[in-house]
Amino acid sequence: MNWDQVKGKWKEYSGKIQSEWGDLTDDEVAEVNGDRRALEGKIQSKYGKSKEEAEREVDDFLSRH
């Protein structure tokens, strides 16, 4: 799967994203609105991860869904 597929079905994937990163609020997930970089930024700030760690986590999420 690629990010364009996630972005195109954002409402469907937003629940999966919130399950993956449970500290993200509904509002934060809605604010991302399919923007991968915005999601990575939220993961960085919420979990104290580096940019590279957040990118790896999103890549891992994509490979599993």
Side-chain angles (χ1 to χ4, degrees):
M1 170 183 299
N2 64 43
W3 190 258
D4 288 333
Q5 291 170 309
V6 173
K7 188 175 181 178
K9 297 180 180 181
W10 184 248
K11 294 236 185 244
E12 179 182 327
Y13 281 98
S14 61
K16 294 176 183 180
I17 285 169
Q18 199 156 19
S19 292
E20 184 82 14
W21 295 283
D23 288 347
L24 295 178
T25 66
D26 289 337
D27 288 342
E28 289 170 325
V29 173
E31 189 179 298
V32 168
N33 196 32
D35 183 335
R36 180 184 170 133
R37 298 295 170 220
L39 175 61
E40 291 169 355
K42 296 283 184 198
I43 294 167
Q44 281 180 263
S45 64
K46 202 70 150 177
Y47 292 92
K49 304 214 177 239
S50 70
K51 180 179 179 181
E52 293 77 18
E53 287 173 314
E55 288 173 354
R56 274 194 300 273
E57 286 189 14
V58 172
D59 286 341
D60 181 55
F61 173 83
L62 286 175
S63 70
R64 290 183 283 115
H65 293 91

